[in-house]
Amino acid sequence: MSVQAVLANQLAEVRREARRVLESGEVKTVLGYRAGPTAVRAMPALITRPEDTDLLVWSPACANNLGLYVRQAALEGKVAVVAKGCDARSIVMLIQEQQIPRESVYIIGVACPGVVDPDRLADAGIREEKLTGASWDGAEVVLASPEGEARPGRESIAKMACLTCDVHTPPLYDILIGEAPAIEPVDGLSPIPEGTEDRRAFWAKQFDRCIRCYACRQVCPSCYCTVCFADRASPRIVSKRIRGQENWMYHTVRAMHMAGRCVECGECERVCPVGIPLLQMMRELGAEVDELFAFKPGMDPEAEPVFGVFKNEDEGPEP
């Protein structure tokens, strides 16, 4: 079977299941993806009519973490979600933290070898506007254009979070579509200095570039507070001034809030307009949590949040 035929079959299954749960009344809405402005830029879609499920797409263009929209959609009734591994992990996290009940969401799990980051295409010598399609051949991304097919290599065009990901099959689903190939994660992220002062200087330089647009916060499924600490007038934790000290406070406090909760989907880094390596910071925090508590967020809806429970055997800081 050709690469295009495999992807077409998966898309047909996604559309068929989405239509089924809407027609049966099992769900009120379906969260999925629809075609975007180019072949490698899909957009989130909220489908409420069975006949509109033909608008759904599934390809390496489906980068957004749809877990971001689940809480709000579930307020209107049960919602179905087309979920990659990272999307499903975000949904699990929301269930763990009692933001949504498990029965309020129907998970159409899709195996995902990794999605494309359009912003990396130019560096790989590929003109985005000429592309007519994108598909997977195993772990490899195949890009189609009038000139033919290109296989630039997964490591050169994939979203950075996909390169380090080891959860290509959703850990929680009601139906699973597709089968992910065996993919070894690679560390494609920028190295961070080892020494304390060197690390401090590195992050100070990164945070100095921040324009405090809060895109990282707005795109994160785990940032669901009604009022963010950065917006509170009383008590005021951080001011609105865009400067090193205030930026440092915002990013470090947010990072501490994300420890043990971040599923490393990399959406914060993908949308950052100045390219701060936020995923690297989250991965380092995640590694610390895993080492201390053997906990990986978003994998088990029955597990209690790691910082929501104390065990006598938990390791603490050295006195």
Side-chain angles (χ1 to χ4, degrees), residues 21-34:
V21 292
L22 282 172
E23 286 180 338
S24 67
E26 186 174 348
V27 304
K28 187 171 182 180
T29 56
V30 172
L31 279 169
Y33 302 92
R34 65 188 303 165

Side-chain angles (χ1 to χ4, degrees), residues 6 9-10 13-14 58 109-112 168-170 175-181:
V6 171
N9 285 345
Q10 291 177 346
E13 288 187 60
V14 168
W58 173 242
V110 283
C112 173
H168 297 282
T169 299
I175 183 173
L176 179 63
I177 295 172
E179 182 177 348

Side-chain angles (χ1 to χ4, degrees), residues 60 86 123 127 145 189 192 196 207 216 238 242 248 252 264 271:
C86 50
D123 290 338
R127 295 181 61 180
S145 72
L189 304 180
I192 304 298
T196 301
F207 297 157
C216 55
V238 58
I242 303 173
W248 183 283
T252 53
E264 300 176 18
V271 302

Side-chain angles (χ1 to χ4, degrees), residues 46 79 90 92 124 178 211 281 302 309:
L46 184 66
V79 58
S90 292
V92 169
I211 61 175
M281 181 164 56
E302 301 299 323
V309 62

Side-chain angles (χ1 to χ4, degrees), residues 63 89 175 217:
R89 290 181 65 190
I175 183 173
R217 176 188 73 183

